């Protein structure tokens, strides 16, 4: 009796928690975009319910169970009534989910159309099509694999969540990039490098036995946006991850993720053979070292048969690597590639390398190191390149490596976590940044050779393709600290699946599934999101300025920093403000950075007049009184950008306040509080930078703009020893 009562109480708590999460004012953000709240429009709901009265999922596998569970969760909640999900082939079903094969085609007398549609459908692709069976319309979700069916199912549920018409569907999709992964910079003690949403979600201490529900919900979220890989530990890796005890923990996570189509990758420490293997060297040409990695690979695959591979940061920022033995990146990568290749694993080798000893500016080193190695990497190696030549700044030109290594698959590395864009208190929708980079034409083969075509492998016919996003996920209840951080996770996944989607349409989807479906509110939130990244560029680093953040934690402005041991670690190195002007000369008379781009870009970048205004100070040192295309002189224009950026945040805040009754009260107030911080910090950035640059320009703040209320010395004296996310 007592036992029964306990069960009842437990059930009751679980039930009330899930219901509460859906109530107004109680939304804590945990459910992300998979909320499945009741569709408010009754007509719509009833129409859907009729079209979906009976579901059949044909077959049996862990992934098909996931699909069944997802429909059983989603449909009753969205439609407000129970829906029958059958695992048998029901003639009466109105939604049929099945892998495509000849038997199905014959049995359902599917027309030639379907035969044609499946042509060219990749292993992860899906078709959603309205067909007629015995003269009755039926929706078919089909694919070559169970994972394809899972992606199709999530896509279908999204159609309902975003109120699409489902009467005559004819959708066919395959992902444009093969490996679509998150990179977690999570340490084994749960600290997350550059993490602003609490601790790491991996509760290493309790693994392998304790499998938190979060791992399942994480996998669901990723699968729902098409992500299929995750590198779960920091690129500044700890060798312990490859010891038996830790591999068992990794195995446990991999088992949880498998039904969702997500493969696990590990960041490895190049010196592991010494650190945990007892060898005297980690030289990639040493046969004991090679054997050690081969044995290690075998051991991993025994535990995790679908293990994805290794992510490697080598010879960068003090990390060990093949360079320690005078070996090249190719020799290092190929040694690991050989160990993984019998099992189908990949090596994802990062191009973010610079040597402390090399005096060449760090942004130039990746190109110098890697371009000569093009064609020297094994088939299962991809080189992962950050989107810009420096380091995830609010705006950078595209990295010149894109397009310069035709014989090597190049992976894109975006940063989702906002290390340089206001941590988790600034609202910055990053899809426009990703889109800007992906759509840029590298001009390596004349017009029409975009960064996206380099990444998806279509430009140079590469054998496989990879996109990586440095995760913004932590154990905060709402996963990303700022609710709008969820939009960046979402948008990254959607763009990795299809880089041709526009950031505005992705924002629409996300808002409708996460915040509200009321058309006016959707428009105003999307509008707010779409401008948000540019505001940050304006109040932090306008007109091509970069690397002005404070040292170490990168929190707040530090344009005055000039005391770090390597010249190019200092902000003053990058802005070069002096009495004449501001900006860094990257032409042949300066750092020569532009020489790494295709000739057509060099021609444009050589001349300040033909350099895109938003990158002017990235490529040129420009006099304070330089006439800008706007008609203003540079100083005025620069200050205007700072003021406009900060002002725009105040406007965002006001716009947000008008949404009070449109979205959940809890979410409303979280964003409101974050915006208040953002307003304060945008003003801080503006005032600190303008006052500092004024020391050089010796010009007044343009007429009509409010003067800063603090002095430069006050800004310089600020210190934040406990700012989060430090490396
Ligand atoms: C920098 C981060 C540092 C990372 C490094 C990397 O500040 O924490 O370790 O990138 O990408 O932006 O390896």
């Amino acid at each position: 009796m007592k036992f029964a009562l306990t069960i009842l109480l437990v059930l009751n708590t679980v039930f009330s928690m899930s219901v509460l999460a859906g109530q107004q004012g109680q939304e804590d953000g945990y459910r992300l975009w998979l909320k499945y709240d009741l569709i408010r429009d009754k007509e719509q709901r009833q129409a859907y319910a009729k079209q979906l009265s009976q579901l059949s999922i044909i077959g049996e596998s862990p992934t098909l169970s996931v699909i069944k569970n997802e429909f059983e969760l989603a449909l009753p909640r969205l439609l407000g009534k129970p829906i029958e999900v059958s695992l048998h082939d029901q003639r009466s079903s109105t939604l049929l989910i099945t892998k495509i094969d000849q038997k199905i085609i014959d049995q359902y007398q599917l027309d030639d159309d379907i035969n044609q549609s499946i042509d060219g459908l990749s292993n992860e692709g899906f078709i959603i099509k309205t067909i007629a069976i015995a003269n009755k319309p039926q929706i078919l979700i089909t694919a070559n694999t169970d994972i394809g069916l899972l992606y199709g199912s999530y896509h279908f549920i999204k159609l309902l969540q975003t109120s699409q018409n489902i009467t005559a569907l004819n959708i066919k999709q395959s992902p444009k990039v093969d490996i679509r992964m998150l990179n977690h910079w999570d340490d084994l003690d749960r600290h997350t490098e550059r993490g602003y949403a609490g601790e790491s979600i991996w509760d290493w201490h309790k693994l392998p036995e304790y499998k938190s529900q979060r791992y399942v919900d994480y996998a669901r979220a990723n699968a729902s946006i098409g992500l299929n890989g995750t590198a779960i530990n920091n690129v500044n890796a700890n060798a312990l991850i490859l010891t038996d005890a830790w591999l068992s923990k990794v195995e446990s996570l991999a088992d949880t993720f498998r039904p969702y189509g997500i493969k696990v990758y590990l960041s490895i420490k190049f010196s592991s053979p010494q650190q945990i293997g007892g060898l005297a060297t980690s030289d990639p040409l040493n046969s004991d070292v090679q054997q050690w990695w081969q044995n290690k690979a075998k051991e991993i695959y025994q535990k995790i048969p679908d293990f994805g591979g290794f992510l490697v940061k080598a010879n960068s920022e003090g990390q060990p690597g093949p360079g320690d033995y005078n070996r090249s990146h190719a020799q290092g990568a190929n040694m690991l590639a050989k160990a993984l290749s019998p099992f189908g694993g990949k090596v994802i080798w990062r191009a973010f390398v610079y040597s402390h000893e090399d005096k060449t500016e760090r942004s130039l080193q990746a190109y110098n190191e890697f371009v000569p190695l093009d064609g020297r990497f094994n088939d299962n190696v991809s080189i992962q390149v950050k989107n810009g030549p420096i380091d995830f700044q609010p705006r950078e030109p595209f990295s010149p490596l894109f397009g310069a290594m035709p014989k090597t698959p190049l992976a894109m590395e975006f940063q989702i976590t906002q290390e340089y864009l206001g941590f988790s208190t600034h609202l910055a929708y990053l899809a426009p940044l990703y889109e800007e980079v992906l759509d840029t034409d590298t001009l390596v083969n004349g017009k029409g050779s975009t960064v996206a075509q380099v990444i998806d492998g279509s430009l140079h016919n590469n054998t496989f393709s990879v996109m990586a996003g440095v995760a913004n996920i932590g154990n905060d209840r709402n996963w990303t600290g700022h609710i709008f951080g969820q939009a960046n996770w979402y948008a990254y996944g959607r763009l990795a699946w299809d880089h041709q989607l526009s950031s505005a349409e992705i924002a629409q989807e996300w808002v409708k599934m996460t915040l509200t479906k009321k058309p006016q509110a959707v428009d105003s939130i999307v509008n707010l999101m779409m401008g948000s990244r540019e505001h940050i560029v304006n109040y932090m680093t306008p007109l091509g300025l970069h690397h002005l953040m404070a040292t170490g934690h990168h929190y707040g402005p530090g344009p005055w920093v000039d005391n770090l041991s390597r010249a190019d670690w200092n902000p003053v190195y990058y802005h070069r403000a002096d009495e004449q002007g501001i900006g860094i000369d990257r032409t042949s008379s300066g750092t020569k950075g532009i020489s790494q781009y295709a000739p057509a870009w060099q021609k444009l970048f050589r001349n300040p007049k033909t350099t895109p205004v938003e990158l002017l100070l990235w490529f040129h040192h420009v006099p304070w009184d330089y006439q800008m295309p706007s008609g203003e002189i540079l100083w005025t224009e620069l200050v205007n950008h700072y003021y406009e950026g900060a002002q725009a945040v105040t406007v965002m805040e006001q716009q947000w306040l008008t949404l009070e009754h449109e979205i959940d009260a809890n979410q409303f107030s979280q964003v409101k509080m974050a915006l208040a911080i953002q307003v304060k910090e945008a003003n801080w950035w503006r005032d600190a930078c303008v006052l500092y640059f004024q020391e050089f320009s010796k010009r007044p703040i343009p007429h009509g703009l409010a003067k800063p209320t603090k002095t430069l010395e006050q800004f310089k004296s600020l210190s934040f020893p406990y700012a989060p996310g430090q490396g």
Side-chain angles (χ1 to χ4, degrees), residues 190-240:
R190 295 193 84 173
H191 169 73
T192 299
E193 184 155 341
R194 313 310 176 185
Y196 312 103
E199 292 194 294
S200 164
I201 52 172
W202 320 128
D203 191 349
W204 290 114
H205 184 67
K206 291 196 211 146
L207 280 163
E209 294 86 358
Y210 192 96
K211 295 175 189 237
S212 157
Q213 176 63 28
R214 264 220 190 220
Y215 308 151
V216 175
D217 292 331
Y218 166 84
R220 281 178 62 220
N222 282 336
S224 76
I225 51 176
L227 292 176
N228 66 359
T230 179
I232 54 182
N233 60 323
N234 194 350
V235 286
N236 295 317
N238 185 326
L240 285 180

Side-chain angles (χ1 to χ4, degrees), residues 185 193-194 234-236 313 316-317 350 352 386 391-392 413 415 419-420 554 727:
W185 287 357
E193 184 155 341
R194 313 310 176 185
N234 194 350
V235 286
N236 295 317
K313 173 174 178 177
S316 175
E317 300 188 319
R350 295 177 85 227
F352 179 72
K386 288 190 182 182
D391 201 355
F392 298 137
E413 180 174 323
Q415 197 175 43
E419 175 181 358
Y420 298 99
H554 301 150

